[in-house]
Amino acid sequence: AQSVAQPEDQVNVAEGNPLTVKCTYSVSGNPYLFWYVQYPNRGLQFLLKYITGDNLVKGSYGFEAEFNKSQTSFHLKKPSALVSDSALYFCAVRDRDTNAGKSTFGDGTTLTVKP
Amino acid sequence: GAGVSQSPSNKVTEKGKDVELRCDPISGHTALYWYRQRLGQGLEFLIYFQGNSAPDKSGLPSDRFSAERTGESVSTLTIQRTQQEDSAVYLCASSLSWLAGDIQYFGAGTRLSVL
């Protein structure tokens, strides 16, 4: 079984400040981890993924995420938030070892960046 | 097409009626996924198709739900005898393959309202 937890329903930050959106996961094998963003009235868009290798992954729009195996976390970060980053963010996990196509998504975190 | 296309974008139906939701994946993508997103909640996996292999139906919530896919093209999600709890946004995604590292590309969704 696999699961994802996004412990914060809402994250509020001021423009220009760093942001963190938290994600922890559980899989029986080794994980593939993803972050997607959903803007209002639009479908989900891929931000970044961790497959293997360097634990720090860089993605679109200046976002990055750090894979921490011991803490089973994959927190999304950005050094300086923009108002346009305001959206709903989803973390997702797949079990690499079973090669299953099934992804499990978290419940999402709403990020609000205030001017 | 350039992206995943879903139709209709909105569907209002009466309780007890059957509905069909359509998804056109990105050309060349062999894997196709259906998810359900209830208001304020995360994505709930429903079913995925990979080429000519048997689909993974493990997420379908009841036998009122079924899905078909013609080869590696269009897919239809059918909900029979709709209930009010079926009201949600139904999202379709496609990826190059079912491999766990592949990025999923999402459509804008079909918003289903059951009265």
Side-chain angles (χ1 to χ4, degrees), chain B residues 56-97:
Chain B
D56 179 344
K57 304 180 180 181
S58 61
L60 293 178
S62 77
D63 59 8
R64 296 187 296 106
F65 288 73
S66 63
E68 293 183 349
R69 187 181 186 194
T70 307
E72 295 183 353
S73 61
V74 172
S75 176
T76 302
L77 177 68
T78 302
I79 309 173
Q80 296 178 311
R81 306 181 302 281
T82 52
Q83 304 295 313
Q84 289 183 333
E85 63 262 27
D86 299 334
S87 296
V89 176
Y90 289 82
L91 293 170
C92 175
S94 70
S95 64
L96 276 172
S97 76

Short mmCIF file of all heavy atoms in Angstrom, two decimals, chain B residues 56-97:
data_model
loop_
_atom_site.label_atom_id
_atom_site.label_comp_id
_atom_site.label_asym_id
_atom_site.label_seq_id
_atom_site.Cartn_x
_atom_site.Cartn_y
_atom_site.Cartn_z
N ASP B 56 -6.05 -1.57 -14.81
CA ASP B 56 -6.08 -1.65 -13.35
C ASP B 56 -7.34 -0.93 -12.88
O ASP B 56 -7.40 0.30 -12.90
CB ASP B 56 -4.83 -0.99 -12.77
CG ASP B 56 -4.79 -1.01 -11.24
OD1 ASP B 56 -5.84 -1.24 -10.60
OD2 ASP B 56 -3.71 -0.79 -10.68
N LYS B 57 -8.34 -1.69 -12.47
CA LYS B 57 -9.64 -1.14 -12.08
C LYS B 57 -9.79 -1.02 -10.57
O LYS B 57 -10.90 -0.82 -10.08
CB LYS B 57 -10.77 -2.04 -12.60
CG LYS B 57 -10.76 -2.29 -14.08
CD LYS B 57 -11.92 -3.20 -14.46
CE LYS B 57 -11.94 -3.49 -15.96
NZ LYS B 57 -13.09 -4.36 -16.32
N SER B 58 -8.69 -1.13 -9.87
CA SER B 58 -8.76 -1.27 -8.42
C SER B 58 -9.38 -0.08 -7.71
O SER B 58 -9.82 -0.19 -6.56
CB SER B 58 -7.38 -1.57 -7.85
OG SER B 58 -6.49 -0.49 -8.13
N GLY B 59 -9.42 1.08 -8.37
CA GLY B 59 -9.96 2.26 -7.72
C GLY B 59 -11.42 2.54 -7.99
O GLY B 59 -12.00 3.46 -7.39
N LEU B 60 -12.04 1.78 -8.86
CA LEU B 60 -13.45 2.04 -9.17
C LEU B 60 -14.29 1.81 -7.92
O LEU B 60 -14.24 0.74 -7.32
CB LEU B 60 -13.92 1.15 -10.31
CG LEU B 60 -13.29 1.41 -11.68
CD1 LEU B 60 -13.81 0.43 -12.72
CD2 LEU B 60 -13.56 2.85 -12.13
N PRO B 61 -15.11 2.80 -7.52
CA PRO B 61 -15.79 2.72 -6.23
C PRO B 61 -16.96 1.74 -6.18
O PRO B 61 -17.33 1.30 -5.09
CB PRO B 61 -16.26 4.15 -5.99
CG PRO B 61 -16.34 4.76 -7.34
CD PRO B 61 -15.31 4.10 -8.17
N SER B 62 -17.56 1.45 -7.31
CA SER B 62 -18.68 0.50 -7.33
C SER B 62 -18.86 -0.03 -8.74
O SER B 62 -18.22 0.45 -9.68
CB SER B 62 -19.96 1.20 -6.86
OG SER B 62 -20.49 2.02 -7.89
N ASP B 63 -19.73 -1.02 -8.88
CA ASP B 63 -19.97 -1.59 -10.21
C ASP B 63 -20.79 -0.66 -11.10
O ASP B 63 -21.06 -0.98 -12.25
CB ASP B 63 -20.61 -2.97 -10.11
CG ASP B 63 -21.94 -2.94 -9.37
OD1 ASP B 63 -22.43 -1.84 -9.07
OD2 ASP B 63 -22.49 -4.02 -9.10
N ARG B 64 -21.19 0.49 -10.56
CA ARG B 64 -21.87 1.48 -11.42
C ARG B 64 -20.85 2.20 -12.32
O ARG B 64 -21.25 2.84 -13.28
CB ARG B 64 -22.62 2.50 -10.57
CG ARG B 64 -23.76 1.93 -9.75
CD ARG B 64 -24.57 3.02 -9.07
NE ARG B 64 -23.79 3.78 -8.09
CZ ARG B 64 -23.34 5.02 -8.29
NH1 ARG B 64 -23.57 5.64 -9.44
NH2 ARG B 64 -22.66 5.63 -7.33
N PHE B 65 -19.60 2.10 -11.95
CA PHE B 65 -18.53 2.78 -12.70
C PHE B 65 -17.84 1.80 -13.63
O PHE B 65 -17.49 0.68 -13.22
CB PHE B 65 -17.49 3.36 -11.74
CG PHE B 65 -17.95 4.55 -10.96
CD1 PHE B 65 -18.86 4.43 -9.93
CD2 PHE B 65 -17.44 5.81 -11.26
CE1 PHE B 65 -19.28 5.55 -9.21
CE2 PHE B 65 -17.85 6.93 -10.54
CZ PHE B 65 -18.76 6.79 -9.52
N SER B 66 -17.62 2.21 -14.86
CA SER B 66 -16.86 1.41 -15.81
C SER B 66 -16.14 2.34 -16.77
O SER B 66 -16.49 3.51 -16.90
CB SER B 66 -17.78 0.45 -16.58
OG SER B 66 -18.71 1.19 -17.36
N ALA B 67 -15.11 1.82 -17.40
CA ALA B 67 -14.35 2.62 -18.36
C ALA B 67 -13.86 1.72 -19.47
O ALA B 67 -13.58 0.54 -19.27
CB ALA B 67 -13.19 3.33 -17.69
N GLU B 68 -13.76 2.33 -20.64
CA GLU B 68 -13.25 1.63 -21.81
C GLU B 68 -12.23 2.51 -22.49
O GLU B 68 -12.25 3.74 -22.37
CB GLU B 68 -14.38 1.31 -22.79
CG GLU B 68 -15.39 0.31 -22.27
CD GLU B 68 -16.45 -0.02 -23.31
OE1 GLU B 68 -16.51 0.68 -24.34
OE2 GLU B 68 -17.21 -0.97 -23.10
N ARG B 69 -11.34 1.84 -23.22
CA ARG B 69 -10.39 2.59 -24.03
C ARG B 69 -10.20 1.84 -25.34
O ARG B 69 -9.99 0.62 -25.35
CB ARG B 69 -9.04 2.74 -23.33
CG ARG B 69 -8.12 3.67 -24.10
CD ARG B 69 -6.78 3.82 -23.45
NE ARG B 69 -5.99 4.83 -24.16
CZ ARG B 69 -4.69 5.01 -24.00
NH1 ARG B 69 -4.02 4.25 -23.14
NH2 ARG B 69 -4.05 5.93 -24.68
N THR B 70 -10.25 2.57 -26.43
CA THR B 70 -10.07 1.99 -27.75
C THR B 70 -8.60 2.07 -28.12
O THR B 70 -8.10 3.16 -28.41
CB THR B 70 -10.90 2.76 -28.80
OG1 THR B 70 -12.26 2.81 -28.36
CG2 THR B 70 -10.81 2.07 -30.15
N GLY B 71 -7.91 0.96 -28.08
CA GLY B 71 -6.49 0.94 -28.41
C GLY B 71 -5.72 1.89 -27.53
O GLY B 71 -5.77 1.80 -26.30
N GLU B 72 -5.00 2.80 -28.14
CA GLU B 72 -4.25 3.80 -27.38
C GLU B 72 -4.81 5.18 -27.64
O GLU B 72 -4.09 6.17 -27.65
CB GLU B 72 -2.76 3.73 -27.75
CG GLU B 72 -2.13 2.42 -27.35
CD GLU B 72 -0.63 2.37 -27.64
OE1 GLU B 72 -0.12 3.31 -28.28
OE2 GLU B 72 0.02 1.40 -27.22
N SER B 73 -6.14 5.25 -27.79
CA SER B 73 -6.73 6.55 -28.05
C SER B 73 -7.80 6.85 -27.01
O SER B 73 -7.58 6.73 -25.82
CB SER B 73 -7.28 6.61 -29.47
OG SER B 73 -8.29 5.64 -29.66
N VAL B 74 -8.96 7.23 -27.49
CA VAL B 74 -10.02 7.77 -26.65
C VAL B 74 -10.45 6.80 -25.56
O VAL B 74 -10.49 5.59 -25.76
CB VAL B 74 -11.23 8.12 -27.54
CG1 VAL B 74 -12.44 8.50 -26.71
CG2 VAL B 74 -10.86 9.23 -28.51
N SER B 75 -10.79 7.37 -24.40
CA SER B 75 -11.36 6.59 -23.32
C SER B 75 -12.68 7.21 -22.89
O SER B 75 -12.86 8.44 -22.96
CB SER B 75 -10.41 6.56 -22.11
OG SER B 75 -11.01 5.89 -21.01
N THR B 76 -13.59 6.34 -22.45
CA THR B 76 -14.89 6.79 -21.94
C THR B 76 -15.10 6.23 -20.55
O THR B 76 -14.94 5.02 -20.34
CB THR B 76 -16.03 6.31 -22.86
OG1 THR B 76 -15.82 6.81 -24.18
CG2 THR B 76 -17.37 6.80 -22.34
N LEU B 77 -15.42 7.09 -19.62
CA LEU B 77 -15.80 6.69 -18.26
C LEU B 77 -17.32 6.78 -18.17
O LEU B 77 -17.89 7.84 -18.45
CB LEU B 77 -15.15 7.60 -17.23
CG LEU B 77 -15.51 7.34 -15.76
CD1 LEU B 77 -14.94 6.01 -15.28
CD2 LEU B 77 -14.99 8.48 -14.87
N THR B 78 -17.95 5.68 -17.82
CA THR B 78 -19.42 5.63 -17.71
C THR B 78 -19.82 5.44 -16.27
O THR B 78 -19.26 4.58 -15.57
CB THR B 78 -19.98 4.49 -18.57
OG1 THR B 78 -19.58 4.69 -19.93
CG2 THR B 78 -21.49 4.45 -18.49
N ILE B 79 -20.75 6.24 -15.84
CA ILE B 79 -21.34 6.09 -14.52
C ILE B 79 -22.82 5.81 -14.71
O ILE B 79 -23.55 6.62 -15.28
CB ILE B 79 -21.16 7.35 -13.65
CG1 ILE B 79 -19.69 7.79 -13.62
CG2 ILE B 79 -21.65 7.08 -12.22
CD1 ILE B 79 -19.46 9.12 -12.92
N GLN B 80 -23.25 4.65 -14.25
CA GLN B 80 -24.66 4.27 -14.38
C GLN B 80 -25.43 4.64 -13.11
O GLN B 80 -24.86 4.64 -12.01
CB GLN B 80 -24.76 2.76 -14.62
CG GLN B 80 -24.13 2.31 -15.93
CD GLN B 80 -24.21 0.80 -16.11
OE1 GLN B 80 -23.86 0.04 -15.22
NE2 GLN B 80 -24.68 0.38 -17.28
N ARG B 81 -26.70 4.94 -13.31
CA ARG B 81 -27.59 5.22 -12.17
C ARG B 81 -26.93 6.19 -11.19
O ARG B 81 -26.73 5.89 -10.01
CB ARG B 81 -27.97 3.92 -11.47
CG ARG B 81 -28.57 2.88 -12.42
CD ARG B 81 -28.95 1.61 -11.67
NE ARG B 81 -27.83 0.98 -10.97
CZ ARG B 81 -26.90 0.24 -11.55
NH1 ARG B 81 -26.92 0.06 -12.86
NH2 ARG B 81 -25.93 -0.30 -10.83
N THR B 82 -26.59 7.36 -11.69
CA THR B 82 -25.81 8.31 -10.90
C THR B 82 -26.48 8.63 -9.57
O THR B 82 -27.71 8.67 -9.45
CB THR B 82 -25.59 9.62 -11.67
OG1 THR B 82 -26.86 10.11 -12.15
CG2 THR B 82 -24.65 9.42 -12.84
N GLN B 83 -25.64 8.87 -8.58
CA GLN B 83 -26.06 9.26 -7.24
C GLN B 83 -25.46 10.63 -6.92
O GLN B 83 -24.47 11.04 -7.54
CB GLN B 83 -25.56 8.24 -6.21
CG GLN B 83 -26.01 6.82 -6.50
CD GLN B 83 -27.52 6.67 -6.38
OE1 GLN B 83 -28.11 7.14 -5.41
NE2 GLN B 83 -28.14 6.02 -7.37
N GLN B 84 -26.01 11.29 -5.94
CA GLN B 84 -25.52 12.63 -5.60
C GLN B 84 -24.07 12.59 -5.16
O GLN B 84 -23.32 13.55 -5.42
CB GLN B 84 -26.41 13.27 -4.53
CG GLN B 84 -27.78 13.68 -5.07
CD GLN B 84 -28.64 14.37 -4.04
OE1 GLN B 84 -28.49 14.16 -2.85
NE2 GLN B 84 -29.57 15.20 -4.52
N GLU B 85 -23.64 11.50 -4.52
CA GLU B 85 -22.25 11.42 -4.08
C GLU B 85 -21.27 11.27 -5.23
O GLU B 85 -20.05 11.33 -5.03
CB GLU B 85 -22.05 10.28 -3.08
CG GLU B 85 -22.32 8.90 -3.64
CD GLU B 85 -23.71 8.40 -3.30
OE1 GLU B 85 -24.62 9.23 -3.10
OE2 GLU B 85 -23.88 7.16 -3.23
N ASP B 86 -21.80 11.06 -6.45
CA ASP B 86 -20.92 11.00 -7.62
C ASP B 86 -20.51 12.39 -8.09
O ASP B 86 -19.62 12.53 -8.95
CB ASP B 86 -21.61 10.28 -8.78
CG ASP B 86 -21.97 8.84 -8.46
OD1 ASP B 86 -21.30 8.23 -7.60
OD2 ASP B 86 -22.95 8.32 -9.06
N SER B 87 -21.14 13.42 -7.56
CA SER B 87 -20.80 14.79 -7.95
C SER B 87 -19.36 15.08 -7.60
O SER B 87 -18.93 14.92 -6.45
CB SER B 87 -21.72 15.79 -7.23
OG SER B 87 -23.05 15.61 -7.64
N ALA B 88 -18.59 15.48 -8.60
CA ALA B 88 -17.15 15.71 -8.45
C ALA B 88 -16.61 16.19 -9.78
O ALA B 88 -17.32 16.25 -10.78
CB ALA B 88 -16.45 14.42 -8.03
N VAL B 89 -15.32 16.52 -9.77
CA VAL B 89 -14.60 16.75 -11.03
C VAL B 89 -13.87 15.46 -11.38
O VAL B 89 -13.16 14.89 -10.54
CB VAL B 89 -13.60 17.91 -10.91
CG1 VAL B 89 -12.79 18.05 -12.19
CG2 VAL B 89 -14.32 19.22 -10.59
N TYR B 90 -14.07 15.00 -12.59
CA TYR B 90 -13.41 13.78 -13.06
C TYR B 90 -12.26 14.19 -13.99
O TYR B 90 -12.46 14.85 -15.00
CB TYR B 90 -14.42 12.88 -13.77
CG TYR B 90 -15.38 12.28 -12.78
CD1 TYR B 90 -16.49 12.99 -12.35
CD2 TYR B 90 -15.16 11.02 -12.23
CE1 TYR B 90 -17.35 12.47 -11.38
CE2 TYR B 90 -16.01 10.48 -11.28
CZ TYR B 90 -17.10 11.22 -10.86
OH TYR B 90 -17.94 10.70 -9.91
N LEU B 91 -11.07 13.80 -13.57
CA LEU B 91 -9.87 14.19 -14.29
C LEU B 91 -9.29 13.00 -15.04
O LEU B 91 -9.25 11.88 -14.52
CB LEU B 91 -8.81 14.71 -13.31
CG LEU B 91 -9.13 16.04 -12.61
CD1 LEU B 91 -8.14 16.30 -11.50
CD2 LEU B 91 -9.11 17.18 -13.60
N CYS B 92 -8.83 13.27 -16.23
CA CYS B 92 -8.16 12.27 -17.05
C CYS B 92 -6.71 12.73 -17.22
O CYS B 92 -6.43 13.93 -17.31
CB CYS B 92 -8.85 12.15 -18.40
SG CYS B 92 -8.03 11.05 -19.57
N ALA B 93 -5.80 11.78 -17.27
CA ALA B 93 -4.39 12.09 -17.52
C ALA B 93 -3.82 11.04 -18.45
O ALA B 93 -4.31 9.91 -18.51
CB ALA B 93 -3.60 12.11 -16.21
N SER B 94 -2.78 11.40 -19.17
CA SER B 94 -2.07 10.42 -19.99
C SER B 94 -0.57 10.57 -19.78
O SER B 94 -0.09 11.62 -19.34
CB SER B 94 -2.43 10.56 -21.47
OG SER B 94 -1.89 11.76 -22.03
N SER B 95 0.16 9.51 -20.06
CA SER B 95 1.62 9.54 -19.98
C SER B 95 2.18 8.65 -21.08
O SER B 95 1.49 7.79 -21.62
CB SER B 95 2.12 9.12 -18.60
OG SER B 95 1.80 7.79 -18.33
N LEU B 96 3.46 8.84 -21.35
CA LEU B 96 4.09 8.08 -22.43
C LEU B 96 3.92 6.58 -22.23
O LEU B 96 3.69 5.84 -23.17
CB LEU B 96 5.57 8.44 -22.53
CG LEU B 96 5.91 9.68 -23.34
CD1 LEU B 96 7.38 10.02 -23.19
CD2 LEU B 96 5.54 9.49 -24.81
N SER B 97 4.10 6.16 -20.96
CA SER B 97 3.93 4.74 -20.65
C SER B 97 3.47 4.62 -19.21
O SER B 97 3.26 5.62 -18.53
CB SER B 97 5.24 3.98 -20.85
OG SER B 97 6.12 4.25 -19.78
#
